[in-house]
Amino acid sequence: MSRNILFLSKTINSNVRRLCTTPTPVQKAEKLVLIDVNDKTGYGTLSMNRLPVNSLNVELFNALSDAYDEMEKNKSRGVILTSTSPKIFSAGLDINDLYSGDSKSWSELWDASQEAFLKIYDASFPSAAAINGHAIGGGCFFSMICDYRAMVKGYQIGLNEIQVGIALPKVLVMIMGKLLPRRHAEISLTQGTLYSPEQASKINLVDDVVVDKAEAIIKCEAFLNKFRKIPMDAVNTTKRTIRREEIDYIRNNKQKDIDDFVKAVESVEAQNTIKMYYQALKNKK
Ligand SMILES: CC/C=C\C/C=C\C/C=C\CC/C=C/CC(=O)SCCNC(=O)CCNC(=O)[C@H](O)C(C)(C)COP(=O)(O)OP(=O)(O)OC[C@H]1O[C@@H](n2cnc3c(N)ncnc32)[C@H](O)[C@@H]1OP(=O)(O)O
């Protein structure tokens, strides 16, 4: 049994239930991303709010895109990306969607993820991730595309897609390859390693390890403050030069990237692994 599945070592029985039920009106009314703008600093705190684990689906991706649009419109000076959950930043792509979808729904999922990716990665203001809990798969990736990461001790972070049977999408490989030293990127991507914050800080996956969410927010604010005396046009031009390869890849190959993702998810091997992974998650408790 893989390390990640061992990591999922309690039992859960309600994923099947989840597939068969519709959300209650209360869940429907909840905003998927809460926005709180600090009038003094001008920073917006965006809290993912798709409980229990902030698994990423079309609606959450769209809510993130909308929140970034709002920040752009209001000429935000910076964003702190975090979560309302007490112990999970984001558990990555919604496994229910990977398990029960079809090529149309997977295309829509990836399309929405590309939009959210571009909004964050190409924003005209810096983003700092206050990683207040586990950040796995897509959750880790969304913290990686911020400009800074502070992570609370006691949780795990990593791109474990390979464990779920999905070949790593190109942009994830490109960005991990740039963030981590080459050897660590290779091992991490091909083995789907999950790291403690202390391990992650040694390989550049997180910048600071903190004791709680409050300290993570303080660190994020301190990072954003560093840009206050630098003209943002100069920062953005420089940042876009650094990030151009990934941004251009998605902008110029949007449909191919969607097709690659759908192909990777719909393969018999991936579907079998997703099914096994899903069952392991379900049988945890
Ligand atoms: C251009 C590209 C741009 C952008 C791309 C962006 C994003 C995409 C990134 C990558 C794409 C490539 C493919 C990615 C695949 C994935 O991301 S697969 C998901 C990977 N994630 C995981 O493996 C995490 C699995 N979950 C866990 O390990 C644990 O649940 C966790 C440690 C998070 C929390 O543990 P614990 O606190 O004990 O809670 P439970 O395990 O009991 O979970 C609570 C309920 O939540 C359900 N759940 C957990 N994870 C997911 C999930 N990912 N999707 C859906 N549901 C999930 C779990 O079943 C429990 O449900 P229940 O209460 O029983 O109903």
Side-chain angles (χ1 to χ4, degrees):
M1 194 182 276
S2 76
R3 227 176 114 217
N4 279 4
I5 292 183
L6 274 177
F7 169 62
L8 305 169
S9 59
K10 289 183 277 150
T11 304
I12 306 161
N13 261 326
S14 52
N15 270 351
V16 169
R17 254 191 349 259
R18 178 193 294 262
L19 282 173
C20 304
T21 55
T22 48
T24 64
V26 173
Q27 284 169 316
K28 267 188 176 167
E30 288 288 341
K31 285 200 164 188
L32 293 178
V33 174
L34 308 185
I35 302 178
D36 179 20
V37 177
N38 180 327
D39 292 333
K40 242 165 76 185
T41 61
Y43 303 148
T45 299
L46 307 188
S47 302
M48 291 180 279
N49 186 39
R50 185 168 186 252
L51 299 176
V53 295
N54 285 320
S55 57
L56 297 158
N57 67 351
V58 169
E59 287 74 23
L60 182 50
F61 283 132
N62 288 343
L64 279 167
S65 292
D66 291 347
Y68 265 77
D69 280 345
E70 196 171 324
M71 294 293 108
E72 292 282 359
K73 207 174 80 197
N74 295 336
K75 307 225 173 306
S76 175
R77 305 200 56 154
V79 153
I80 298 172
L81 183 62
T82 188
S83 134
T84 57
S85 158
K87 58 176 191 172
I88 293 158
F89 180 77
S90 165
L93 285 189
D94 192 322
I95 294 174
N96 295 308
D97 290 351
L98 296 176
Y99 181 66
S100 64
D102 56 25
S103 55
K104 184 169 178 286
S105 67
W106 295 323
S107 295
E108 286 166 2
L109 179 69
W110 203 246
D111 188 25
S113 86
Q114 290 175 331
E115 289 306 312
F117 163 74
L118 289 171
K119 300 276 179 194
I120 299 174
Y121 202 58
D122 196 22
S124 65
F125 46 79
S127 297
I131 309 172
N132 57 316
H134 298 295
I136 303 179
C140 168
F141 184 64
F142 268 75
S143 77
M144 286 166 59
I145 59 176
C146 291
D147 302 72
Y148 167 83
R149 287 155 289 285
M151 182 165 184
V152 176
K153 280 172 191 247
Y155 300 106
Q156 291 200 287
I157 183 165
L159 291 182
N160 69 335
E161 283 69 13
I162 209 101
Q163 300 261 353
V164 188
I166 299 176
L168 269 290
K170 180 158 171 157
V171 162
L172 277 75
V173 175
M174 288 164 103
I175 291 179
M176 191 122 194
K178 286 183 175 172
L179 200 59
L180 268 55
R182 163 107 193 196
R183 183 72 189 129
H184 287 290
E186 235 176 69
I187 289 174
S188 171
L189 288 165
T190 55
Q191 299 183 2
T193 318
L194 294 178
Y195 301 96
S196 68
E198 292 82 359
Q199 292 166 328
S201 77
K202 287 194 185 131
I203 57 170
N204 293 351
L205 187 53
V206 303
D207 296 296
D208 279 304
V209 181
V210 294
V211 293
D212 57 19
K213 183 175 176 179
E215 192 186 357
I217 301 277
I218 290 170
K219 290 276 188 190
C220 287
E221 285 173 343
F223 176 80
L224 296 176
N225 287 343
K226 291 185 180 162
F227 294 99
R228 291 192 89 87
K229 290 190 181 146
I230 310 175
M232 271 327 273
D233 281 352
V235 172
N236 287 333
T237 306
T238 306
K239 214 163 89 175
R240 282 183 183 131
T241 305
I242 297 168
R243 297 183 169 192
R244 182 170 308 285
E245 197 186 350
E246 300 84 54
I247 291 169
D248 283 355
Y249 175 74
I250 292 299
R251 290 228 166 97
N252 301 334
N253 300 280
K254 203 167 175 19
Q255 191 55 48
K256 181 193 176 304
D257 190 60
I258 293 174
D259 294 342
D260 286 348
F261 176 72
V262 172
K263 211 163 116 190
V265 176
E266 74 185 357
S267 78
V268 174
E269 200 187 7
Q271 279 300 311
N272 285 340
T273 312
I274 290 167
K275 190 173 168 187
M276 270 165 41
Y277 195 83
Y278 174 85
Q279 294 296 344
L281 194 60
K282 200 163 68 94
N283 294 324
K284 235 172 86 173
K285 285 173 188 154

